[in-house]
Amino acid sequence: LYFSAQDGILLLYHIKDLQYEMKLCADISQPISSLIFSPDYTFLLLLTEQGPVYSYKPAHSGEAVKLLDTCSSCFLAADFLIPGEKYCVSVTTAGEVQVWFLEDGTCLSKLNLGTEVHVT
C-alpha cells in the first residue's frame, strides 16, 4: 500500500497477515494530491498541489524524478495513455490539456479548452 500525507513523503506499507512494515520511498517536500499507477504498475505518478508531477519506479526504489512542471497554473489531474506507459495526459486548472513523453518530460501536444477546470 502506497501512501502520502501532506508532508510530501511517499510511504510504502508492506502488509502481511497482522503485521506491517513501513518504508520511506521518496520525499518531494511538497504536498502530494494524487498517486496514479501505470497499467503495468511499473511507474507511479505523483501529482502535487503546487504544480509539478513526479515519477517513481517502485521496482527501483530510487528517488522520485520531476517530470512535468507548469508556471501558469497547477496540474489538476494526470493519467497514463494506454497501452504502455510511455505517455501521459494532464490537465491544468487553467484548462490546458497536454500530452507528455514520460522518459524526458517533453510536452508533445497542447490543447487549450478556453475555460478553467475544476474537480466536482
Side-chain angles (χ1 to χ4, degrees), residues 69-90:
D69 205 348
T70 181
C71 299
S72 60
S73 65
C74 293
F75 286 108
L76 186 60
D79 205 349
F80 291 89
L81 289 176
I82 52 175
E85 62 281 328
K86 291 183 179 184
Y87 307 96
C88 79
V89 63
S90 65

Side-chain angles (χ1 to χ4, degrees), residues 4-45:
S4 177
Q6 290 295 329
D7 56 6
I9 296 175
L10 178 66
L11 300 169
L12 169 64
Y13 285 93
H14 183 94
I15 302 168
K16 186 173 182 178
D17 299 322
L18 296 176
Q19 297 182 16
Y20 72 92
E21 178 184 337
M22 184 180 74
K23 177 185 172 191
L24 173 75
C25 296
D27 182 357
I28 61 171
S29 300
Q30 51 187 295
I32 298 171
S33 59
S34 297
L35 303 173
I36 304 155
F37 265 107
S38 64
D40 64 359
Y41 297 98
T42 58
F43 284 94
L44 181 62
L45 290 181

Side-chain angles (χ1 to χ4, degrees), residues 59-70:
H60 294 94
S61 298
E63 285 295 312
V65 176
K66 185 187 286 189
L67 287 177
L68 318 173
D69 205 348
T70 181

